[in-house]
Amino acid sequence: MAVPFLCPKPLRPGDAIAVVAPSGVVEPAHFEAGMRFLQRRYVVRWTHGLLSQTGYLAGSDERRLKELQNAIDSDDIKAIFAVRGGYGAMRLLSKLQLQGRKPKWLVGFSDVTALHALWQCMGWQSLHGPVVTQMGILHPEDLQTMLDALEKNTGNHCLLGTRCLVPGTASGPLLGGNLSVFSRLIGTPYMPDTRGAILLLEDNGEAPYRIDRMWTHLRLAGTLEKLAGIVLGEFFQHDRKNADQDCLAVLDSLASETGIPCVSGFSIGHGARNIAVRLGSQARLSAGSLRLTCLNGETE
């Protein structure tokens, strides 16, 4: 953790970007709306193969791997945007080749957490932010925050949570992402070193007992022991009445038990708002004031 994460070069309007589908099946209507937003600013490259379907995946592993690896290898592609989450990115981790490549922006969340973790293992920053299928319906302020995070390397980015679960202050690189995906990386070569980090977690559609089980897995594996702080984004569970409140109560209890500075209620993840944050950036958490400040890093 002593070595800063490398920050990809800032994007510029007119740069070439790649849109890829490393995970679940793509919904054409939402995809088209998001593409229109991106095409107004960048040169967008994609293949019709990303609209493929193999069961619950956007085509075969071979198709999705080739699409993503080509985007990583192409020197003129300055950023890689994921179309959506779902499931499937983890299946590609062992075959992706990043050694010897220069860092470039990876943008997405949810199942894209598996790829963010790979970037973090490489010591690269990435952007936890909207997927393409969100971009046609997302709040304009959140879209602008995403663009600013990708195109500017000056100033700080401040976010406010809603509840302090454990008071205190912390500083360190911001890591993590989706709780379900991140916890599945325990014991693999793709779990980043979380010592001294501020851990961001969010999730959607998980029952309270499953949240407890995944959190407890992180604790038993020692992942939580040497954290500097914890930041909780959106957590939703929709299959039973008042389940959201149950999830929040479970999270309150689990986070309080750690004794690590923790704030919940950040508009990050699967909610109506999805504020982009740079994973790997240096961050400061002031739990008492509900404030997370991400420091924009230097370019690679």
Side-chain angles (χ1 to χ4, degrees):
M1 288 304 176
V3 179
F5 283 65
L6 294 176
C7 180
K9 292 181 178 179
L11 276 186
R12 297 175 297 180
D15 275 348
I17 65 171
V19 169
V20 301
S23 304
V25 179
V26 178
E27 302 131 352
H30 290 161
F31 165 68
E32 291 167 5
M35 289 290 281
R36 285 194 293 271
F37 169 78
L38 289 173
Q39 287 168 339
R40 288 195 293 267
R41 196 167 189 90
Y42 306 114
V43 175
V44 182
R45 296 187 181 167
W46 65 286
T47 69
H48 285 278
L50 62 73
L51 297 174
S52 302
Q53 180 172 357
T54 302
Y56 41 79
L57 302 170
S60 66
D61 286 355
E62 291 74 18
R63 189 213 71 77
R64 297 179 353 268
L65 175 66
K66 181 179 179 181
E67 178 181 75
L68 180 54
Q69 189 67 60
N70 285 344
I72 292 169
D73 292 343
S74 178
D75 289 337
D76 62 335
I77 295 296
K78 306 304 180 186
I80 302 169
F81 288 74
V83 175
R84 61 155 298 187
Y87 170 72
M90 187 181 297
R91 296 168 63 102
L92 309 180
L93 292 178
S94 64
K95 295 182 180 179
L96 282 169
Q97 300 296 322
L98 270 66
Q99 293 292 339
R101 279 69 170 182
K102 292 184 177 181
K104 61 180 64 177
W105 287 114
L106 169 71
V107 185
F109 79 112
S110 193
D111 190 59
V112 185
T113 294
L115 301 178
H116 285 306
L118 182 60
W119 257 242
Q120 291 161 30
C121 288
M122 291 294 297
W124 298 352
Q125 292 189 27
S126 59
L127 195 69
H128 187 284
V131 291
V132 176
T133 51
Q134 273 192 317
M135 292 178 188
I137 58 175
L138 202 62
H139 194 287
E141 289 183 7
D142 295 347
L143 292 172
Q144 188 59 51
T145 297
M146 178 188 72
L147 295 177
D148 288 345
L150 291 168
E151 296 181 4
K152 298 178 180 179
N153 262 348
T154 57
N156 300 334
H157 180 201
C158 182
L159 296 83
L160 290 176
T162 59
R163 292 189 300 164
C164 173
L165 303 183
V166 180
T169 59
S171 62
L174 184 67
L175 305 182
N178 180 262
L179 172 60
S180 298
V181 178
F182 194 76
S183 63
R184 297 310 193 275
L185 298 174
I186 291 172
T188 75
Y190 311 104
M191 183 67 170
D193 183 355
T194 59
R195 291 175 294 178
I198 295 175
L199 184 63
L200 164 67
L201 297 172
E202 62 83 32
D203 218 319
N204 182 49
E206 297 290 350
Y209 78 91
R210 292 177 180 171
I211 297 289
D212 188 331
R213 182 168 61 196
M214 290 182 286
W215 186 287
T216 301
H217 189 188
L218 289 172
R219 179 177 61 79
L220 293 174
T223 307
L224 305 180
E225 286 182 2
K226 296 183 180 180
L227 290 177
I230 301 172
V231 170
L232 300 179
E234 302 280 12
F235 279 82
F236 293 107
Q237 205 282 328
H238 302 294
D239 62 6
R240 52 183 274 226
K241 188 176 180 180
N242 297 323
D244 285 354
Q245 290 85 341
D246 290 343
C247 279
L248 294 178
V250 167
L251 284 165
D252 285 2
S253 175
L254 292 170
S256 297
E257 289 172 2
T258 67
I260 299 168
C262 179
V263 175
S264 68
F266 288 94
S267 296
I268 298 172
H270 288 82
R273 305 290 300 269
N274 187 8
I275 300 174
V277 290
R278 288 184 176 187
L279 296 175
S281 68
Q282 286 295 309
R284 292 195 300 261
L285 177 64
S286 301
S289 59
L290 308 176
R291 187 179 300 270
L292 175 69
T293 303
C294 298
L295 312 177
N296 285 345
E298 297 298 323
T299 354
E300 180 271 335

